[in-house]
Amino acid sequence: MSNNAQNSITSTIAADMEAVNSVIRQRLHSEVALVNQIAEYIISAGGKRIRPVLVLLVANAYGYKGVAHHELAAVVEFIHTATLLHDDVVDESSMRRGRQTANALFGNAASVLVGDFLYSRAFQMMVSLDSMRVMQILSDATNVIAEGEVLQLLNMHDPDVSEESYLQVIRSKTAKLFEAAAELGALVAGASDADISAAGEYGRSLGTAFQLIDDVLDYAGDAAEIGKNVGDDLREGKPTLPLIWLMENGTDEQRALVRSCIENGDEQHFDTILAAITNSGALDYTRRAAEVAAQRAIDAIAGVPDGAYKQSLLQLARFSVDRSH
């Protein structure tokens, strides 16, 4: 998040975030030096920390007064970080958050294994909370995320991926952990099943909006701002929504070029593809889809008690589409 947006959204939970960061540092510790080194490297890279923020905002919105939400927020961040470590190996990425990826710096084997450490540490922490419902939400989420990763792998270099098939990948790979984070916040606060479900819908829709805007920024963003190379999705042969829209609505020549680029992960025609995506309305279409998802998130929390925490949740939904990185 930009500093202003982040400060505005998280000002109500500043003390909670400090506590979460303390839990993260404490729970990262391992007797194995390389584990500490890589885990510290990836966590200290920062990032938006939106998933832990979700746990904290929702828990507070429902009046929670304990400290278990700090542990849950850290668990969610560990699971997310583990997926990033594995993602970057699968995608052969070299840049994330403006720095070298862990796999570029420490190697693929070390990154995968430290990702495994973070997953298993997250499950140790879950067990310590002694709640079967918490374990159910998080174990289901990690399983769905893994399925989403495999679905995305199957879609790589496939120019015939449909919009619905792609949105299924987003719901599994990205939105599921947002959904789990929001549900956990409501659950720990003792909210009703209906409210937990509504929080889940908020998280799922918010996560969808975030990913769709990431898809836009991969073609319209600034590399320094987004912290990775513009056009990475095309280089990796990933058919994201702007490309899928262009495949369905572009000229025969554009469709042939997109098909070739997706199949071959071809970046030599990137400028031509970028011009086609920009001028065809593909980015506008993707942005509108993100706006619809963000509105769905806003509608889902109509029943959340009014106050500063709800206002932050509403701001977060709006920020999900009005951002440049």
Side-chain angles (χ1 to χ4, degrees):
M1 286 185 241
S2 73
N3 287 338
N4 288 343
Q6 183 163 16
N7 291 341
S8 173
I9 291 167
T10 61
S11 59
T12 53
I13 51 165
D16 281 332
M17 280 306 292
E18 282 295 317
V20 171
N21 288 332
S22 176
V23 171
I24 285 172
R25 295 259 176 264
Q26 184 187 339
R27 299 293 196 172
L28 269 182
H29 179 71
S30 164
E31 297 302 319
V32 180
L34 185 60
V35 170
N36 288 333
Q37 192 179 357
I38 297 177
E40 172 67 27
Y41 179 79
I42 186 91
I43 291 282
S44 68
K48 303 179 191 74
R49 294 267 168 99
I50 289 171
R51 296 152 192 84
V53 163
L54 263 182
V55 176
L56 301 175
L57 284 177
V58 174
N60 280 298
Y62 281 107
Y64 183 61
K65 298 300 180 197
V67 294
H69 59 331
H70 299 154
E71 199 87 0
L72 285 171
V75 167
V76 167
E77 185 66 1
F78 280 4
I79 291 171
H80 174 56
T81 305
T83 66
L84 296 188
L85 282 164
H86 290 168
D87 265 4
D88 286 342
V89 170
V90 171
D91 295 341
E92 299 177 9
S93 298
S94 61
M95 288 279 288
R96 182 180 287 280
R97 296 171 180 166
R99 304 199 306 175
Q100 275 189 290
T101 52
N103 51 298
L105 202 57
F106 300 100
N108 286 342
S111 291
V112 169
L113 294 172
V114 172
D116 292 345
F117 166 82
L118 287 170
Y119 269 130
S120 53
R121 178 54 50 90
F123 274 82
Q124 284 180 320
M125 292 163 70
M126 269 181 241
V127 171
S128 73
L129 290 165
D130 198 23
S131 164
M132 190 57 75
R133 186 84 184 272
V134 164
M135 286 192 282
Q136 180 188 11
I137 289 171
L138 285 166
S139 58
D140 285 351
T142 51
N143 196 248
V144 169
I145 291 165
E147 287 179 333
E149 298 282 6
V150 177
L151 270 177
Q152 178 170 274
L153 192 63
L154 292 173
N155 288 351
M156 296 282 258
H157 302 293
D158 180 359
D160 297 314
V161 171
S162 67
E163 180 173 335
E164 181 46 47
S165 174
Y166 177 63
L167 290 174
Q168 179 57 46
V169 169
I170 287 181
R171 284 192 290 269
S172 301
K173 184 176 178 288
T174 303
K176 188 62 182 179
L177 195 55
F178 279 77
E179 176 186 338
E183 285 179 341
L184 290 169
L187 173 67
V188 77
S192 69
D193 284 347
D195 286 337
I196 293 169
S197 177
E201 176 58 46
Y202 170 87
R204 186 165 57 250
S205 299
L206 182 75
T208 300
F210 257 94
Q211 183 57 56
L212 289 171
I213 293 299
D214 276 354
D215 291 352
V216 169
L217 294 175
D218 195 62
Y219 293 97
D222 175 88
E225 272 202 87
I226 63 176
K228 65 170 195 168
N229 301 314
V230 173
D232 270 356
D233 290 342
L234 185 63
R235 289 183 194 92
E236 293 161 10
K238 275 186 194 170
T240 58
L241 192 54
L243 285 178
I244 292 168
W245 190 90
L246 192 57
M247 277 292 294
E248 291 178 355
N249 298 279
T251 65
D252 289 345
E253 186 182 358
Q254 287 170 338
R255 283 202 293 270
L257 186 57
V258 171
R259 175 174 289 276
S260 170
C261 287
I262 291 175
E263 285 176 343
N264 303 306
D266 180 6
E267 61 179 301
Q268 98 184 61
H269 300 294
F270 177 71
D271 289 342
T272 310
I273 294 273
L274 179 59
I277 281 176
T278 304
N279 298 327
S280 66
L283 295 181
D284 293 334
Y285 177 82
T286 306
R287 192 175 286 281
R288 282 197 303 274
E291 287 167 356
V292 168
Q295 187 58 51
R296 210 165 48 236
I298 288 168
D299 294 344
I301 56 168
V304 170
D306 287 330
Y309 301 112
K310 181 175 182 176
Q311 286 308 309
S312 289
L313 288 167
L314 294 173
Q315 271 184 285
L316 188 54
R318 288 188 285 268
F319 169 76
S320 69
V321 289
D322 299 331
R323 63 193 176 94
S324 58
H325 70 289

